[in-house]
């Protein structure tokens, strides 16, 4: 197979993996709606812990990981910390600002990914892709009904959401940067498990007043397996094949995807503004994909 054809095949497989990953991400909102009387930090902790154990178990079964040969080192403390920061800052932002504001700012992440990938991985993007990224960000803001308030509480929440976006950018670049050092399941599982350890102190403090009903347990397991254990692992697989910014732009499709699932399963209405935002996001995503360089 010629190198150009091989590169194109790898790029297309990465895009396909990212699309499948996003379809799994999109189940998060519906599943979280099912959970009652458990704090967001606990939900995040259990998702990371369960997914980490399951993915590392899969790594053992597939011989990517051996109990006799421990591949983990202090670098995984950084991987896990960045992943935990992304989730924690997002959760904390919701205490101060609206869901729509937080969502809009968290999904400015493609801008951070493009910058970090250029600085750390020397992976530049062309001007047409920059236009596509900006279109995606605008689409997310329209979709979310973004409203930049200037009261102190909202400014704090917006700042935390931007930190979450930046952390997701670092997480994405790390995942691509480590593609040649660790097998996929080892890297993903180790990152999830280490993130859960960083979250443990806050989660333990919050568990005192929580209710772990059968419904909550089933929903937590589903959250760990589908959007995180499978979805984020496939996202990390996509990062090994395509530019980190391209994969991250595709992840913004979680916004309309989650909304459509909520409309189907929990009867949340979809407005005209939502539809306009969806089309703008899709247009921006297609612009980035279709103008991408052939080599990742």
């Amino acid at each position: 197979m010629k190198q150009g054809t091989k590169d194109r095949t790898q790029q297309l497989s990465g895009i396909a993996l990212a699309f499948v990953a996003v379809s799994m991400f999109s189940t998060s909102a519906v599943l979280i709606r099912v959970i009652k009387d458990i704090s967001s930090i606990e939900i995040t902790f259990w998702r990371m812990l369960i997914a980490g154990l399951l993915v590392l178990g899969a790594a053992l079964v597939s011989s990517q990981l051996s109990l006799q040969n421990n591949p983990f080192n202090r670098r995984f403390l950084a991987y896990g910390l960045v992943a935990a920061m992304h989730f924690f800052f997002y959760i904390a932002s919701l205490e101060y600002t609206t869901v729509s504001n937080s969502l809009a700012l968290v999904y400015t992440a493609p801008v951070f990914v493009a910058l970090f990938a250029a600085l750390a991985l020397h992976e530049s993007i062309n001007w047409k892709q920059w236009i596509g990224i900006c279109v995606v960000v605008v689409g997310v803001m329209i979709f979310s009904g973004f409203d930049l308030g200037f009261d102190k509480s909202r400014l704090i929440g917006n700042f935390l959401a931007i930190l979450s976006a930046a952390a997701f950018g670092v997480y994405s670049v790390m995942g691509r940067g480590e593609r040649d050092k660790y097998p996929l399941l080892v890297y993903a599982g180790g990152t999830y498990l280490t993130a859960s350890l960083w979250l443990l102190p806050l989660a333990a403090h919050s568990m005192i007043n929580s209710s772990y009903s059968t419904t909550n347990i089933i929903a937590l397991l589903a959250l760990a397996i589908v959007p995180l254990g499978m979805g984020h692992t496939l996202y990390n697989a996509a990062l090994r094949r395509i530019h980190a910014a391209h994969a991250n732009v595709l992840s913004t499709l979680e916004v309309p995807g989650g909304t459509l699932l909520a409309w189907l399963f929990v009867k949340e209405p979809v407005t005209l503004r939502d539809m306009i935002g969806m089309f703008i996001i899709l247009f921006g995503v297609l612009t980035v994909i279709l103008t991408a360089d052939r080599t990742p």
Side-chain angles (χ1 to χ4, degrees), residues 33 65 67 95 100 121 139 168 190 209 215 230 244 261 268 282:
R33 285 298 182 91
L65 177 65
L67 294 177
E95 299 291 330
S100 61
L121 305 177
F168 192 33
N209 298 317
T215 300
M230 297 171 67
L261 288 177
E268 288 194 359
L282 288 171

Side-chain angles (χ1 to χ4, degrees), residues 243-255:
H243 194 300
H246 302 167
N248 200 257
V249 165
L250 286 166
S251 74
T252 63
L253 292 174
E254 179 186 0
V255 181

